[in-house]
Amino acid sequence: MAVVLGFAAIPARADDQADRQARWKDIEKSLFGDRVPQDGAAVVQLDAPVRADDASLVPMAITIAAKQPVKSLYLVIDDNPAPVAAHYTFGPAADPRAIKMRVRVNTYTNVHVVAEMQDGTLLETTKFVKASGGCSAPMGMSDEEAMKGMGDMRIKFAGDAVANKPVDATLMVRHPNFNGMQMNQVSRMYTPARYIQTIAVTDGDKKVFDLDTDISLASNPVISFAFVPTDKSQLKVAVTDSEKGHWEKSVPVPALSN
């Protein structure tokens, strides 16, 4: 299920700033209704390449100023066929100060990050990224090879956990994220879409985040995030895709120290 519907018929590339602004206003209205995001440059930052080395694996790093009460984050690639690449909803175990991920970028486009604060305020930042063909780029292997081990997950932690302090973690998921726009290089037929739709991360009975995503997420996604662990933490990840595939993995968090 797409996060944002109804944009595929709009031309993928806007020719000037006025078109880009109009495009964003349409997306903004669809996502937020009458709520208008404010300039959030002092709170929200987006680190993305000006020109992507690989349009199918474009790194995005979102940082939030310390102690800001963030409820959720939207990453929007305005001129992708499905613009909303990610919508993170944070729980009580989250530390939303830094999120990293890789996405597909289809054409020269503005990329927006909108942070929804706990009081409902929307804070926005924007970056222009030059890339081309990321959504239709083939994986360089057969579909069968790309699907081997689908759903396998690895979770890495950056050192041992310390009580009441955030732990940095990296999640790696084996999944081709076929988006229906990639041509099989052998059969010359388009590979049917099959892509991750949700990722839920919990620490014990506390939510870290729920991620709703779509065809803009890169293949074999890698997501870095932070959370505040509890005693005897067990980090659990649940992934579902567009074909009702479901996978789960639980790993112990490195032992807490004081």
Side-chain angles (χ1 to χ4, degrees):
M1 182 179 69
V3 179
V4 175
L5 301 177
F7 291 112
I10 298 175
R13 180 170 180 175
D15 292 328
D16 54 37
Q17 188 57 37
D19 287 342
R20 293 190 177 99
Q21 186 63 20
R23 169 72 164 171
W24 169 241
K25 288 300 181 184
D26 286 343
I27 297 170
E28 184 182 73
K29 182 71 173 179
S30 176
L31 287 175
F32 308 119
D34 294 331
R35 293 189 296 163
V36 179
Q38 304 171 16
D39 182 356
V43 175
V44 187
Q45 293 186 347
L46 172 62
D47 184 11
V50 174
R51 185 181 296 275
D53 292 331
D54 184 341
S56 66
L57 292 169
V58 183
M60 299 279 166
I62 304 166
T63 55
I64 305 294
K67 299 183 180 179
Q68 294 294 325
V70 181
K71 178 182 178 181
S72 70
L73 278 178
Y74 295 82
L75 175 65
V76 182
I77 306 170
D78 292 15
D79 290 300
N80 270 15
V84 181
H87 177 210
Y88 291 89
T89 303
F90 299 108
D95 177 13
R97 60 190 166 84
I99 292 282
K100 295 179 181 179
M101 59 189 301
R102 300 184 301 190
V103 297
R104 297 177 171 117
V105 177
N106 204 47
T107 189
Y108 287 23
T109 183
N110 282 330
V111 178
H112 284 84
V113 173
V114 178
E116 181 181 18
M117 314 308 282
Q118 291 292 350
D119 65 0
T121 301
L122 300 173
L123 299 177
E124 168 198 339
T125 193
T126 311
K127 189 159 187 180
F128 186 68
V129 175
K130 297 178 180 180
S132 182
C135 291
S136 58
M139 291 187 66
M141 61 183 74
S142 69
D143 294 350
E144 292 74 20
E145 289 175 312
M147 294 177 71
K148 284 182 179 177
M150 188 165 57
D152 288 349
M153 286 181 256
R154 296 175 62 194
I155 302 169
K156 292 184 177 181
F157 301 99
D160 290 341
V162 177
N164 301 315
K165 291 188 177 181
V167 174
D168 293 321
T170 300
L171 167 66
M172 294 156 279
V173 183
R174 178 79 174 174
H175 198 291
N177 270 341
F178 293 133
N179 59 16
M181 299 173 63
Q182 298 147 314
M183 180 179 288
N184 184 297
Q185 299 303 292
V186 177
S187 69
R188 308 304 292 174
M189 302 290 288
Y190 286 99
T191 301
R194 182 169 187 172
Y195 53 91
I196 291 173
Q197 290 186 310
T198 65
I199 298 176
V201 181
T202 55
D203 176 37
D205 60 354
K206 292 185 176 181
K207 180 167 75 174
V208 179
F209 65 78
D210 291 329
L211 169 61
D212 293 309
T213 185
D214 211 298
I215 63 173
S216 294
L217 190 64
S219 60
N220 299 321
V222 178
I223 299 170
S224 297
F225 59 95
F227 70 105
V228 180
T230 57
D231 278 337
K232 300 179 181 178
S233 282
Q234 188 86 0
L235 200 69
K236 178 181 177 181
V237 180
V239 177
T240 60
D241 74 6
S242 57
E243 293 300 309
K244 296 182 169 55
H246 182 84
W247 303 272
E248 295 185 1
K249 186 178 182 68
S250 295
V251 296
V253 177
L256 286 172
S257 61
N258 294 315

